[in-house]
Amino acid sequence: PRADVPPPPLHAKTVMRAIREATPKVKECYDQAREHAPELGGRLVVQMMVRASGGHGRIDDAKVVKRADGDVDDPGLSACVLSVLGALDFPSRGEGELPITYPFFLTE
């Protein structure tokens, strides 16, 4: 990077790493959802905006989107996953936004 260009407030790698580290909690959401829908499985796609301010980045405006036939469509599972993601906190520099779309592949 050029010396006169400040670093971005959020790094996608940092955000993705935190999301991957939250995967066990997402799996807990999936396991709970399978108690009432044992056949549940497939891809769950989340679109989100990560907003940075005051040295922290938080996921905001997250929603589950159905992009293809076979994508998971379970309101309880979606609410649980969005709650897990909403609790994440990322280090940041300055203020800014980073849009992210992340697929979770949910299987037994």
Side-chain angles (χ1 to χ4, degrees), residues 22-73:
T23 298
K25 289 183 180 178
V26 170
K27 175 80 166 84
E28 287 176 19
C29 292
Y30 174 59
D31 291 341
Q32 288 174 2
R34 288 190 66 237
E35 290 176 10
H36 69 81
E39 74 290 347
L40 192 64
R43 185 175 73 156
L44 182 82
V45 180
V46 180
Q47 284 183 338
M48 60 197 102
M49 182 66 70
V50 182
R51 290 193 167 84
S53 179
H56 297 278
R58 303 287 303 211
I59 290 179
D60 198 1
D61 298 331
K63 64 183 176 183
V64 172
V65 295
K66 193 166 163 96
R67 295 222 158 157
D69 287 342
D71 280 358
V72 175
D73 185 16

Side-chain angles (χ1 to χ4, degrees), residues 6-11 52-56 90-96:
L10 291 161
H11 290 280
S53 179
H56 297 278
F90 314 97
S92 71
R93 296 183 204 134
E95 297 189 15

Side-chain angles (χ1 to χ4, degrees), residues 72-89:
V72 175
D73 185 16
D74 182 274
L77 174 60
S78 296
C80 184
V81 170
L82 294 177
S83 176
V84 167
L85 295 175
L88 298 178
D89 187 23

